[in-house]
PDB file of all heavy atoms in Angstrom:
ATOM      1  N   LYS A  12     -11.974 -23.252   1.088  1.00  0.00           N
ATOM      2  CA  LYS A  12     -12.481 -22.266   2.050  1.00  0.00           C
ATOM      3  C   LYS A  12     -11.339 -21.366   2.551  1.00  0.00           C
ATOM      4  O   LYS A  12     -11.499 -20.155   2.677  1.00  0.00           O
ATOM      5  CB  LYS A  12     -13.142 -23.010   3.219  1.00  0.00           C
ATOM      6  CG  LYS A  12     -13.925 -22.146   4.127  1.00  0.00           C
ATOM      7  CD  LYS A  12     -15.279 -21.848   3.566  1.00  0.00           C
ATOM      8  CE  LYS A  12     -16.112 -21.207   4.652  1.00  0.00           C
ATOM      9  NZ  LYS A  12     -17.134 -20.374   4.106  1.00  0.00           N
ATOM     10  N   GLN A  13     -10.170 -21.969   2.829  1.00  0.00           N
ATOM     11  CA  GLN A  13      -9.013 -21.177   3.264  1.00  0.00           C
ATOM     12  C   GLN A  13      -8.578 -20.191   2.186  1.00  0.00           C
ATOM     13  O   GLN A  13      -8.266 -19.040   2.481  1.00  0.00           O
ATOM     14  CB  GLN A  13      -7.842 -22.091   3.620  1.00  0.00           C
ATOM     15  CG  GLN A  13      -7.956 -22.743   4.967  1.00  0.00           C
ATOM     16  CD  GLN A  13      -6.760 -23.654   5.245  1.00  0.00           C
ATOM     17  OE1 GLN A  13      -6.045 -24.084   4.347  1.00  0.00           O
ATOM     18  NE2 GLN A  13      -6.546 -23.963   6.519  1.00  0.00           N
ATOM     19  N   ALA A  14      -8.533 -20.639   0.942  1.00  0.00           N
ATOM     20  CA  ALA A  14      -8.128 -19.756  -0.162  1.00  0.00           C
ATOM     21  C   ALA A  14      -9.115 -18.596  -0.301  1.00  0.00           C
ATOM     22  O   ALA A  14      -8.713 -17.446  -0.502  1.00  0.00           O
ATOM     23  CB  ALA A  14      -8.039 -20.552  -1.461  1.00  0.00           C
ATOM     24  N   LYS A  15     -10.399 -18.880  -0.183  1.00  0.00           N
ATOM     25  CA  LYS A  15     -11.422 -17.832  -0.262  1.00  0.00           C
ATOM     26  C   LYS A  15     -11.253 -16.850   0.902  1.00  0.00           C
ATOM     27  O   LYS A  15     -11.313 -15.628   0.707  1.00  0.00           O
ATOM     28  CB  LYS A  15     -12.817 -18.444  -0.240  1.00  0.00           C
ATOM     29  CG  LYS A  15     -13.924 -17.409  -0.319  1.00  0.00           C
ATOM     30  CD  LYS A  15     -15.269 -18.035  -0.003  1.00  0.00           C
ATOM     31  CE  LYS A  15     -16.330 -16.999   0.235  1.00  0.00           C
ATOM     32  NZ  LYS A  15     -16.085 -16.111   1.359  1.00  0.00           N
ATOM     33  N   ASN A  16     -11.027 -17.360   2.097  1.00  0.00           N
ATOM     34  CA  ASN A  16     -10.861 -16.488   3.266  1.00  0.00           C
ATOM     35  C   ASN A  16      -9.607 -15.625   3.161  1.00  0.00           C
ATOM     36  O   ASN A  16      -9.613 -14.461   3.551  1.00  0.00           O
ATOM     37  CB  ASN A  16     -10.835 -17.314   4.555  1.00  0.00           C
ATOM     38  CG  ASN A  16     -12.195 -17.902   4.886  1.00  0.00           C
ATOM     39  OD1 ASN A  16     -13.218 -17.442   4.382  1.00  0.00           O
ATOM     40  ND2 ASN A  16     -12.214 -18.936   5.712  1.00  0.00           N
ATOM     41  N   ARG A  17      -8.513 -16.190   2.639  1.00  0.00           N
ATOM     42  CA  ARG A  17      -7.286 -15.399   2.435  1.00  0.00           C
ATOM     43  C   ARG A  17      -7.535 -14.267   1.443  1.00  0.00           C
ATOM     44  O   ARG A  17      -7.089 -13.136   1.633  1.00  0.00           O
ATOM     45  CB  ARG A  17      -6.142 -16.278   1.950  1.00  0.00           C
ATOM     46  CG  ARG A  17      -5.377 -16.973   3.062  1.00  0.00           C
ATOM     47  CD  ARG A  17      -4.066 -17.574   2.586  1.00  0.00           C
ATOM     48  NE  ARG A  17      -4.217 -18.488   1.469  1.00  0.00           N
ATOM     49  CZ  ARG A  17      -4.468 -19.789   1.572  1.00  0.00           C
ATOM     50  NH1 ARG A  17      -4.575 -20.337   2.764  1.00  0.00           N
ATOM     51  NH2 ARG A  17      -4.588 -20.538   0.499  1.00  0.00           N
ATOM     52  N   ASN A  18      -8.256 -14.576   0.369  1.00  0.00           N
ATOM     53  CA  ASN A  18      -8.573 -13.557  -0.626  1.00  0.00           C
ATOM     54  C   ASN A  18      -9.448 -12.465  -0.012  1.00  0.00           C
ATOM     55  O   ASN A  18      -9.194 -11.277  -0.217  1.00  0.00           O
ATOM     56  CB  ASN A  18      -9.277 -14.187  -1.830  1.00  0.00           C
ATOM     57  CG  ASN A  18      -9.489 -13.190  -2.942  1.00  0.00           C
ATOM     58  OD1 ASN A  18      -8.546 -12.599  -3.452  1.00  0.00           O
ATOM     59  ND2 ASN A  18     -10.741 -12.987  -3.317  1.00  0.00           N
ATOM     60  N   ASP A  19     -10.475 -12.857   0.748  1.00  0.00           N
ATOM     61  CA  ASP A  19     -11.347 -11.872   1.394  1.00  0.00           C
ATOM     62  C   ASP A  19     -10.569 -10.998   2.378  1.00  0.00           C
ATOM     63  O   ASP A  19     -10.800  -9.792   2.456  1.00  0.00           O
ATOM     64  CB  ASP A  19     -12.503 -12.571   2.118  1.00  0.00           C
ATOM     65  CG  ASP A  19     -13.512 -13.188   1.154  1.00  0.00           C
ATOM     66  OD1 ASP A  19     -13.483 -12.846  -0.048  1.00  0.00           O
ATOM     67  OD2 ASP A  19     -14.313 -14.025   1.607  1.00  0.00           O
ATOM     68  N   SER A  20      -9.630 -11.598   3.089  1.00  0.00           N
ATOM     69  CA  SER A  20      -8.792 -10.845   4.020  1.00  0.00           C
ATOM     70  C   SER A  20      -7.928  -9.824   3.282  1.00  0.00           C
ATOM     71  O   SER A  20      -7.813  -8.673   3.707  1.00  0.00           O
ATOM     72  CB  SER A  20      -7.916 -11.812   4.816  1.00  0.00           C
ATOM     73  OG  SER A  20      -7.039 -11.112   5.653  1.00  0.00           O
ATOM     74  N   ARG A  21      -7.337 -10.251   2.183  1.00  0.00           N
ATOM     75  CA  ARG A  21      -6.505  -9.347   1.379  1.00  0.00           C
ATOM     76  C   ARG A  21      -7.346  -8.208   0.799  1.00  0.00           C
ATOM     77  O   ARG A  21      -6.902  -7.067   0.753  1.00  0.00           O
ATOM     78  CB  ARG A  21      -5.799 -10.139   0.270  1.00  0.00           C
ATOM     79  CG  ARG A  21      -4.914  -9.312  -0.632  1.00  0.00           C
ATOM     80  CD  ARG A  21      -3.686  -8.796   0.080  1.00  0.00           C
ATOM     81  NE  ARG A  21      -2.812  -8.119  -0.885  1.00  0.00           N
ATOM     82  CZ  ARG A  21      -1.705  -7.501  -0.580  1.00  0.00           C
ATOM     83  NH1 ARG A  21      -1.286  -7.476   0.667  1.00  0.00           N
ATOM     84  NH2 ARG A  21      -0.983  -6.919  -1.496  1.00  0.00           N
ATOM     85  N   ILE A  22      -8.569  -8.510   0.396  1.00  0.00           N
ATOM     86  CA  ILE A  22      -9.461  -7.471  -0.125  1.00  0.00           C
ATOM     87  C   ILE A  22      -9.738  -6.430   0.956  1.00  0.00           C
ATOM     88  O   ILE A  22      -9.646  -5.225   0.707  1.00  0.00           O
ATOM     89  CB  ILE A  22     -10.785  -8.086  -0.647  1.00  0.00           C
ATOM     90  CG1 ILE A  22     -10.524  -8.840  -1.956  1.00  0.00           C
ATOM     91  CG2 ILE A  22     -11.855  -7.015  -0.849  1.00  0.00           C
ATOM     92  CD1 ILE A  22     -11.698  -9.680  -2.435  1.00  0.00           C
ATOM     93  N   ARG A  23     -10.045  -6.885   2.166  1.00  0.00           N
ATOM     94  CA  ARG A  23     -10.300  -5.946   3.272  1.00  0.00           C
ATOM     95  C   ARG A  23      -9.072  -5.089   3.561  1.00  0.00           C
ATOM     96  O   ARG A  23      -9.177  -3.883   3.793  1.00  0.00           O
ATOM     97  CB  ARG A  23     -10.743  -6.696   4.528  1.00  0.00           C
ATOM     98  CG  ARG A  23     -12.163  -7.234   4.453  1.00  0.00           C
ATOM     99  CD  ARG A  23     -12.641  -7.785   5.792  1.00  0.00           C
ATOM    100  NE  ARG A  23     -11.801  -8.853   6.322  1.00  0.00           N
ATOM    101  CZ  ARG A  23     -11.930 -10.143   5.998  1.00  0.00           C
ATOM    102  NH1 ARG A  23     -12.845 -10.534   5.154  1.00  0.00           N
ATOM    103  NH2 ARG A  23     -11.120 -11.043   6.551  1.00  0.00           N
ATOM    104  N   TYR A  24      -7.888  -5.719   3.553  1.00  0.00           N
ATOM    105  CA  TYR A  24      -6.633  -4.998   3.804  1.00  0.00           C
ATOM    106  C   TYR A  24      -6.422  -3.920   2.741  1.00  0.00           C
ATOM    107  O   TYR A  24      -6.127  -2.762   3.058  1.00  0.00           O
ATOM    108  CB  TYR A  24      -5.474  -5.992   3.811  1.00  0.00           C
ATOM    109  CG  TYR A  24      -4.110  -5.356   3.783  1.00  0.00           C
ATOM    110  CD1 TYR A  24      -3.554  -4.794   4.921  1.00  0.00           C
ATOM    111  CD2 TYR A  24      -3.365  -5.320   2.605  1.00  0.00           C
ATOM    112  CE1 TYR A  24      -2.290  -4.209   4.897  1.00  0.00           C
ATOM    113  CE2 TYR A  24      -2.108  -4.743   2.567  1.00  0.00           C
ATOM    114  CZ  TYR A  24      -1.583  -4.187   3.714  1.00  0.00           C
ATOM    115  OH  TYR A  24      -0.344  -3.604   3.674  1.00  0.00           O
ATOM    116  N   LEU A  25      -6.576  -4.287   1.470  1.00  0.00           N
ATOM    117  CA  LEU A  25      -6.357  -3.332   0.382  1.00  0.00           C
ATOM    118  C   LEU A  25      -7.377  -2.196   0.428  1.00  0.00           C
ATOM    119  O   LEU A  25      -7.024  -1.034   0.209  1.00  0.00           O
ATOM    120  CB  LEU A  25      -6.415  -4.042  -0.977  1.00  0.00           C
ATOM    121  CG  LEU A  25      -5.253  -4.979  -1.274  1.00  0.00           C
ATOM    122  CD1 LEU A  25      -5.547  -5.820  -2.515  1.00  0.00           C
ATOM    123  CD2 LEU A  25      -3.952  -4.210  -1.449  1.00  0.00           C
ATOM    124  N   GLN A  26      -8.623  -2.521   0.726  1.00  0.00           N
ATOM    125  CA  GLN A  26      -9.643  -1.480   0.823  1.00  0.00           C
ATOM    126  C   GLN A  26      -9.305  -0.488   1.932  1.00  0.00           C
ATOM    127  O   GLN A  26      -9.440   0.725   1.751  1.00  0.00           O
ATOM    128  CB  GLN A  26     -11.025  -2.104   1.071  1.00  0.00           C
ATOM    129  CG  GLN A  26     -11.591  -2.788  -0.143  1.00  0.00           C
ATOM    130  CD  GLN A  26     -12.861  -3.579   0.143  1.00  0.00           C
ATOM    131  OE1 GLN A  26     -13.077  -4.067   1.266  1.00  0.00           O
ATOM    132  NE2 GLN A  26     -13.704  -3.714  -0.864  1.00  0.00           N
ATOM    133  N   ALA A  27      -8.838  -0.985   3.058  1.00  0.00           N
ATOM    134  CA  ALA A  27      -8.459  -0.094   4.165  1.00  0.00           C
ATOM    135  C   ALA A  27      -7.254   0.761   3.782  1.00  0.00           C
ATOM    136  O   ALA A  27      -7.214   1.955   4.093  1.00  0.00           O
ATOM    137  CB  ALA A  27      -8.151  -0.916   5.419  1.00  0.00           C
ATOM    138  N   MET A  28      -6.281   0.154   3.108  1.00  0.00           N
ATOM    139  CA  MET A  28      -5.088   0.907   2.689  1.00  0.00           C
ATOM    140  C   MET A  28      -5.463   2.017   1.699  1.00  0.00           C
ATOM    141  O   MET A  28      -4.985   3.145   1.821  1.00  0.00           O
ATOM    142  CB  MET A  28      -4.055  -0.024   2.056  1.00  0.00           C
ATOM    143  CG  MET A  28      -3.388  -0.974   3.018  1.00  0.00           C
ATOM    144  SD  MET A  28      -2.259  -0.154   4.142  1.00  0.00           S
ATOM    145  CE  MET A  28      -0.905   0.208   3.049  1.00  0.00           C
ATOM    146  N   VAL A  29      -6.292   1.706   0.732  1.00  0.00           N
ATOM    147  CA  VAL A  29      -6.712   2.698  -0.261  1.00  0.00           C
ATOM    148  C   VAL A  29      -7.497   3.815   0.414  1.00  0.00           C
ATOM    149  O   VAL A  29      -7.301   4.997   0.129  1.00  0.00           O
ATOM    150  CB  VAL A  29      -7.534   2.026  -1.394  1.00  0.00           C
ATOM    151  CG1 VAL A  29      -8.229   3.055  -2.265  1.00  0.00           C
ATOM    152  CG2 VAL A  29      -6.641   1.128  -2.241  1.00  0.00           C
ATOM    153  N   ARG A  30      -8.373   3.439   1.327  1.00  0.00           N
ATOM    154  CA  ARG A  30      -9.225   4.413   2.013  1.00  0.00           C
ATOM    155  C   ARG A  30      -8.421   5.378   2.882  1.00  0.00           C
ATOM    156  O   ARG A  30      -8.735   6.559   2.976  1.00  0.00           O
ATOM    157  CB  ARG A  30     -10.265   3.667   2.851  1.00  0.00           C
ATOM    158  CG  ARG A  30     -11.312   4.533   3.488  1.00  0.00           C
ATOM    159  CD  ARG A  30     -12.405   3.750   4.227  1.00  0.00           C
ATOM    160  NE  ARG A  30     -11.875   2.777   5.183  1.00  0.00           N
ATOM    161  CZ  ARG A  30     -11.899   1.455   5.027  1.00  0.00           C
ATOM    162  NH1 ARG A  30     -12.411   0.925   3.937  1.00  0.00           N
ATOM    163  NH2 ARG A  30     -11.406   0.662   5.950  1.00  0.00           N
ATOM    164  N   THR A  31      -7.358   4.884   3.517  1.00  0.00           N
ATOM    165  CA  THR A  31      -6.616   5.718   4.469  1.00  0.00           C
ATOM    166  C   THR A  31      -5.298   6.264   3.921  1.00  0.00           C
ATOM    167  O   THR A  31      -4.568   6.934   4.644  1.00  0.00           O
ATOM    168  CB  THR A  31      -6.314   4.926   5.753  1.00  0.00           C
ATOM    169  OG1 THR A  31      -5.484   3.808   5.420  1.00  0.00           O
ATOM    170  CG2 THR A  31      -7.584   4.466   6.427  1.00  0.00           C
ATOM    171  N   ALA A  32      -5.004   5.991   2.665  1.00  0.00           N
ATOM    172  CA  ALA A  32      -3.707   6.387   2.101  1.00  0.00           C
ATOM    173  C   ALA A  32      -3.553   7.898   2.004  1.00  0.00           C
ATOM    174  O   ALA A  32      -4.501   8.615   1.685  1.00  0.00           O
ATOM    175  CB  ALA A  32      -3.529   5.766   0.719  1.00  0.00           C
ATOM    176  N   LYS A  33      -2.353   8.333   2.281  1.00  0.00           N
ATOM    177  CA  LYS A  33      -1.977   9.731   2.063  1.00  0.00           C
ATOM    178  C   LYS A  33      -0.967   9.708   0.920  1.00  0.00           C
ATOM    179  O   LYS A  33       0.115   9.127   1.043  1.00  0.00           O
ATOM    180  CB  LYS A  33      -1.329  10.321   3.320  1.00  0.00           C
ATOM    181  CG  LYS A  33      -0.837  11.730   3.124  1.00  0.00           C
ATOM    182  CD  LYS A  33      -0.113  12.236   4.349  1.00  0.00           C
ATOM    183  CE  LYS A  33       0.491  13.594   4.022  1.00  0.00           C
ATOM    184  NZ  LYS A  33       1.524  13.968   4.964  1.00  0.00           N
ATOM    185  N   VAL A  34      -1.335  10.313  -0.206  1.00  0.00           N
ATOM    186  CA  VAL A  34      -0.466  10.295  -1.381  1.00  0.00           C
ATOM    187  C   VAL A  34       0.637  11.327  -1.205  1.00  0.00           C
ATOM    188  O   VAL A  34       0.377  12.493  -0.899  1.00  0.00           O
ATOM    189  CB  VAL A  34      -1.270  10.562  -2.672  1.00  0.00           C
ATOM    190  CG1 VAL A  34      -0.357  10.581  -3.891  1.00  0.00           C
ATOM    191  CG2 VAL A  34      -2.349   9.504  -2.850  1.00  0.00           C
ATOM    192  N   ILE A  35       1.878  10.860  -1.377  1.00  0.00           N
ATOM    193  CA  ILE A  35       3.032  11.741  -1.239  1.00  0.00           C
ATOM    194  C   ILE A  35       3.697  11.928  -2.596  1.00  0.00           C
ATOM    195  O   ILE A  35       3.556  11.098  -3.490  1.00  0.00           O
ATOM    196  CB  ILE A  35       4.066  11.190  -0.230  1.00  0.00           C
ATOM    197  CG1 ILE A  35       4.545   9.788  -0.646  1.00  0.00           C
ATOM    198  CG2 ILE A  35       3.483  11.179   1.172  1.00  0.00           C
ATOM    199  CD1 ILE A  35       5.680   9.246   0.193  1.00  0.00           C
ATOM    200  N   THR A  36       4.398  13.028  -2.738  1.00  0.00           N
ATOM    201  CA  THR A  36       5.159  13.278  -3.955  1.00  0.00           C
ATOM    202  C   THR A  36       6.629  13.049  -3.663  1.00  0.00           C
ATOM    203  O   THR A  36       7.065  13.140  -2.513  1.00  0.00           O
ATOM    204  CB  THR A  36       4.954  14.718  -4.470  1.00  0.00           C
ATOM    205  OG1 THR A  36       5.318  15.629  -3.425  1.00  0.00           O
ATOM    206  CG2 THR A  36       3.513  14.951  -4.875  1.00  0.00           C
ATOM    207  N   ILE A  37       7.354  12.766  -4.701  1.00  0.00           N
ATOM    208  CA  ILE A  37       8.769  12.475  -4.555  1.00  0.00           C
ATOM    209  C   ILE A  37       9.558  13.678  -5.042  1.00  0.00           C
ATOM    210  O   ILE A  37       9.516  14.018  -6.212  1.00  0.00           O
ATOM    211  CB  ILE A  37       9.162  11.247  -5.382  1.00  0.00           C
ATOM    212  CG1 ILE A  37       8.308  10.079  -4.955  1.00  0.00           C
ATOM    213  CG2 ILE A  37      10.626  10.929  -5.251  1.00  0.00           C
ATOM    214  CD1 ILE A  37       8.177   9.043  -5.996  1.00  0.00           C
ATOM    215  N   ASP A  38      10.239  14.303  -4.119  1.00  0.00           N
ATOM    216  CA  ASP A  38      11.129  15.389  -4.500  1.00  0.00           C
ATOM    217  C   ASP A  38      12.279  15.417  -3.513  1.00  0.00           C
ATOM    218  O   ASP A  38      12.094  15.350  -2.316  1.00  0.00           O
ATOM    219  CB  ASP A  38      10.398  16.733  -4.534  1.00  0.00           C
ATOM    220  CG  ASP A  38       9.693  17.064  -3.234  1.00  0.00           C
ATOM    221  OD1 ASP A  38       9.344  16.136  -2.497  1.00  0.00           O
ATOM    222  OD2 ASP A  38       9.497  18.258  -2.960  1.00  0.00           O
ATOM    223  N   SER A  39      13.466  15.449  -4.066  1.00  0.00           N
ATOM    224  CA  SER A  39      14.641  15.509  -3.199  1.00  0.00           C
ATOM    225  C   SER A  39      15.714  16.324  -3.906  1.00  0.00           C
ATOM    226  O   SER A  39      15.707  16.469  -5.126  1.00  0.00           O
ATOM    227  CB  SER A  39      15.167  14.105  -2.882  1.00  0.00           C
ATOM    228  OG  SER A  39      15.673  13.489  -4.042  1.00  0.00           O
ATOM    229  N   ASP A  40      16.609  16.832  -3.117  1.00  0.00           N
ATOM    230  CA  ASP A  40      17.751  17.569  -3.629  1.00  0.00           C
ATOM    231  C   ASP A  40      18.575  16.630  -4.511  1.00  0.00           C
ATOM    232  O   ASP A  40      18.690  15.437  -4.234  1.00  0.00           O
ATOM    233  CB  ASP A  40      18.571  18.055  -2.428  1.00  0.00           C
ATOM    234  CG  ASP A  40      19.765  18.895  -2.822  1.00  0.00           C
ATOM    235  OD1 ASP A  40      19.904  19.219  -4.006  1.00  0.00           O
ATOM    236  OD2 ASP A  40      20.562  19.212  -1.919  1.00  0.00           O
ATOM    237  N   ASN A  41      19.144  17.157  -5.590  1.00  0.00           N
ATOM    238  CA  ASN A  41      19.938  16.326  -6.511  1.00  0.00           C
ATOM    239  C   ASN A  41      21.125  15.658  -5.839  1.00  0.00           C
ATOM    240  O   ASN A  41      21.564  14.596  -6.269  1.00  0.00           O
ATOM    241  CB  ASN A  41      20.416  17.143  -7.709  1.00  0.00           C
ATOM    242  CG  ASN A  41      19.291  17.364  -8.705  1.00  0.00           C
ATOM    243  OD1 ASN A  41      18.302  16.632  -8.709  1.00  0.00           O
ATOM    244  ND2 ASN A  41      19.431  18.378  -9.537  1.00  0.00           N
ATOM    245  N   ASP A  42      21.661  16.257  -4.785  1.00  0.00           N
ATOM    246  CA  ASP A  42      22.830  15.704  -4.116  1.00  0.00           C
ATOM    247  C   ASP A  42      22.464  14.831  -2.910  1.00  0.00           C
ATOM    248  O   ASP A  42      23.324  14.164  -2.358  1.00  0.00           O
ATOM    249  CB  ASP A  42      23.753  16.839  -3.627  1.00  0.00           C
ATOM    250  CG  ASP A  42      24.330  17.633  -4.794  1.00  0.00           C
ATOM    251  OD1 ASP A  42      24.415  17.084  -5.901  1.00  0.00           O
ATOM    252  OD2 ASP A  42      24.679  18.806  -4.583  1.00  0.00           O
ATOM    253  N   ALA A  43      21.204  14.860  -2.505  1.00  0.00           N
ATOM    254  CA  ALA A  43      20.792  14.160  -1.285  1.00  0.00           C
ATOM    255  C   ALA A  43      19.998  12.898  -1.624  1.00  0.00           C
ATOM    256  O   ALA A  43      19.393  12.786  -2.676  1.00  0.00           O
ATOM    257  CB  ALA A  43      19.958  15.085  -0.413  1.00  0.00           C
ATOM    258  N   ILE A  44      20.009  11.965  -0.680  1.00  0.00           N
ATOM    259  CA  ILE A  44      19.268  10.719  -0.842  1.00  0.00           C
ATOM    260  C   ILE A  44      17.781  10.997  -0.679  1.00  0.00           C
ATOM    261  O   ILE A  44      17.358  11.634   0.278  1.00  0.00           O
ATOM    262  CB  ILE A  44      19.717   9.679   0.212  1.00  0.00           C
ATOM    263  CG1 ILE A  44      21.201   9.361   0.051  1.00  0.00           C
ATOM    264  CG2 ILE A  44      18.866   8.411   0.111  1.00  0.00           C
ATOM    265  CD1 ILE A  44      21.777   8.545   1.187  1.00  0.00           C
ATOM    266  N   GLY A  45      17.010  10.504  -1.641  1.00  0.00           N
ATOM    267  CA  GLY A  45      15.561  10.653  -1.599  1.00  0.00           C
ATOM    268  C   GLY A  45      14.882   9.319  -1.852  1.00  0.00           C
ATOM    269  O   GLY A  45      15.535   8.281  -2.049  1.00  0.00           O
ATOM    270  N   LEU A  46      13.593   9.343  -1.870  1.00  0.00           N
ATOM    271  CA  LEU A  46      12.786   8.153  -2.097  1.00  0.00           C
ATOM    272  C   LEU A  46      13.074   7.581  -3.486  1.00  0.00           C
ATOM    273  O   LEU A  46      13.156   8.320  -4.461  1.00  0.00           O
ATOM    274  CB  LEU A  46      11.309   8.514  -1.950  1.00  0.00           C
ATOM    275  CG  LEU A  46      10.320   7.384  -1.791  1.00  0.00           C
ATOM    276  CD1 LEU A  46      10.676   6.480  -0.613  1.00  0.00           C
ATOM    277  CD2 LEU A  46       8.915   7.946  -1.592  1.00  0.00           C
ATOM    278  N   PHE A  47      13.259   6.286  -3.564  1.00  0.00           N
ATOM    279  CA  PHE A  47      13.544   5.490  -4.759  1.00  0.00           C
ATOM    280  C   PHE A  47      14.977   5.623  -5.266  1.00  0.00           C
ATOM    281  O   PHE A  47      15.309   5.093  -6.319  1.00  0.00           O
ATOM    282  CB  PHE A  47      12.533   5.758  -5.889  1.00  0.00           C
ATOM    283  CG  PHE A  47      11.146   5.349  -5.497  1.00  0.00           C
ATOM    284  CD1 PHE A  47      10.199   6.294  -5.160  1.00  0.00           C
ATOM    285  CD2 PHE A  47      10.814   4.014  -5.411  1.00  0.00           C
ATOM    286  CE1 PHE A  47       8.930   5.918  -4.761  1.00  0.00           C
ATOM    287  CE2 PHE A  47       9.539   3.620  -5.009  1.00  0.00           C
ATOM    288  CZ  PHE A  47       8.601   4.575  -4.690  1.00  0.00           C
ATOM    289  N   ASP A  48      15.834   6.299  -4.520  1.00  0.00           N
ATOM    290  CA  ASP A  48      17.252   6.371  -4.888  1.00  0.00           C
ATOM    291  C   ASP A  48      17.953   5.085  -4.461  1.00  0.00           C
ATOM    292  O   ASP A  48      17.602   4.473  -3.457  1.00  0.00           O
ATOM    293  CB  ASP A  48      17.936   7.566  -4.211  1.00  0.00           C
ATOM    294  CG  ASP A  48      17.452   8.896  -4.761  1.00  0.00           C
ATOM    295  OD1 ASP A  48      16.745   8.900  -5.786  1.00  0.00           O
ATOM    296  OD2 ASP A  48      17.775   9.934  -4.154  1.00  0.00           O
TER     297      ASP A  48
END
């Protein structure tokens, strides 16, 4: 029951994240620190 509830909780979390996500693009100056550097 705990494993099922943890899975259901994670599903709700992921659904909320997908629903409210703002997709960003990665662009930075070649000399400056950017995302994933």
Side-chain angles (χ1 to χ4, degrees):
K12 191 80 169 154
Q13 282 179 340
K15 180 192 167 298
N16 290 341
R17 275 193 305 272
N18 186 58
D19 290 345
S20 176
R21 180 69 174 176
I22 288 170
R23 287 189 302 275
Y24 168 77
L25 290 169
Q26 287 172 332
M28 290 289 286
V29 168
R30 187 175 52 252
T31 62
K33 176 184 174 198
V34 178
I35 58 173
T36 57
I37 303 156
D38 55 334
S39 67
D40 183 7
N41 283 340
D42 295 336
I44 299 170
L46 195 56
F47 296 105
D48 291 350

